[in-house]
Amino acid sequence: MFKVLKPGLQTTVQDLGRTGYQQYGISPSGAMDSYSLQMANLLVGNPLGEAGLEAAILGPSLEALSNVAIAICGGNLQPMVNKKEVSMWKSFVFRKGDILSFGKVESGARAYIAFAGGIDIPLVLDSKSTFVNGTMGGYNGRALESGDVLFGWPYVRKNRFLHKDFIPEYKSELEIRVIPGPHLEKFHPDTIERFLSAEYTVSPQSNRMGYRLEGPELGHIGGADIISDAIPAGGVQVPSNGQPIILMAERQTTGGYARIATVISVDIPLLAQAMPGIKIRLVGITIEEAHELYRKQKQLFKVLSTGVR
């Protein structure tokens, strides 16, 4: 379907993740920004969970080996076909011989490329996602390299676009909603209040495993350690240095540091688009509010999927 001319910084095959295996010590992996991947799949007529490419900060250069409809969603890395700018959040035909490339980051951090018909990658534990740290899944368990050729079942379904109301805006200052807990007994009440009112900065030492935040130090009651516990997506660990770490797609499966909060599911994609240096404020909400927001997002995908069919 296409050949990799240049791989970019870290371009990997990702779907919605390898669920059900964390109990065996296997990271879920999957797209950091599941919203953008699903929208890209919707625009080319794929099932929402089909695998696409996740390109971080510096996008790849790809040569089309056959005609196929594609859509690019997520962070704006200035996509171009044959050195001419192309629209995002819209499907178009990537024709045989065309070269897809990217420029500088304009907004966000990660772009998602969906190909009509999907990518022919073997399932590993029910997922095509690349678990880079475990050299599992995706294309030989690694990021793409120059010369790689990926196959699929290409078909052309073009001229679908997403209404602007459903396109996220990636700002330099973010408000991320969290559910406080589960280890609030490990923190003084004033520490919890500080966490939910202070401004944090995304550290350059952030990656698919976790986002390190820099800001006011968060103290503990009786130390940072707990009996190792399962780590959910968005879990906010606070190690002994008092600087929070938000666990992301390629997180470890268990952790022994107290967690002060968990980022809600619908805000993880927005967080995934935060570049180092982005300012973040954490806002507490209830689990009932988080459930309602999640239901609304699932309903949105259901309605849009029905509409395009």
Side-chain angles (χ1 to χ4, degrees), residues 4 32 69 79 95 110 130 139 149 190 205 223 227 249 291 307:
V4 180
M32 289 275 280
R95 300 188 182 280
R110 291 174 170 84
T130 310
Y139 192 94
V149 175
D190 61 338
Q205 281 73 51
I227 296 173
H291 284 166

Side-chain angles (χ1 to χ4, degrees), residues 23-179:
Q23 61 185 314
Y24 304 114
I26 298 172
S27 171
S29 303
M32 289 275 280
D33 177 355
S34 58
Y35 180 91
S36 293
L37 175 63
Q38 290 179 91
M39 284 301 184
N41 274 321
L42 188 151
L43 290 169
V44 296
N46 290 343
L48 294 176
E50 179 56 63
L53 297 186
E54 177 184 275
I57 302 176
L58 179 64
S61 177
L62 310 175
E63 180 184 359
L65 301 180
S66 59
N67 293 352
V68 59
I70 71 173
I72 305 168
C73 297
N76 185 354
L77 312 187
Q78 294 187 334
M80 297 173 283
V81 171
N82 302 328
K83 298 185 178 180
K84 294 183 179 179
E85 185 177 341
V86 293
S87 297
M88 297 184 62
W89 306 93
K90 179 182 179 180
S91 63
F92 62 91
V93 181
F94 187 35
R95 300 188 182 280
K96 182 177 180 179
D98 283 351
I99 306 295
L100 173 66
S101 60
F102 294 82
K104 296 180 179 180
V105 178
E106 192 166 291
S107 64
R110 291 174 170 84
Y112 292 83
I113 312 167
F115 300 83
I119 300 175
D120 185 10
I121 291 287
L123 291 171
V124 177
L125 299 179
D126 305 319
S127 172
K128 298 180 182 181
S129 285
T130 310
F131 175 21
V132 176
N133 290 332
T135 61
M136 175 188 293
Y139 192 94
N140 296 329
R142 59 168 171 78
L144 298 185
E145 298 176 356
S146 297
D148 289 344
V149 175
L150 278 79
F151 296 85
W153 301 270
Y155 65 89
V156 173
R157 182 174 285 174
K158 60 180 181 176
N159 295 331
R160 290 178 172 173
F161 64 92
L162 191 64
H163 192 281
K164 62 181 178 62
D165 287 352
F166 304 130
I167 298 175
E169 186 178 356
Y170 306 124
K171 301 177 181 179
S172 58
E173 296 184 0
L174 297 178
E175 188 174 277
I176 300 296
R177 292 164 289 190
V178 301
I179 300 167

Side-chain angles (χ1 to χ4, degrees), residues 239-263:
S240 55
N241 67 0
Q243 297 296 293
I245 303 171
I246 304 177
L247 283 306
M248 301 296 281
E250 208 156 306
R251 62 193 180 277
Q252 73 272 26
T253 57
T254 62
Y257 292 130
R259 296 198 308 279
I260 195 169
T262 303
V263 176

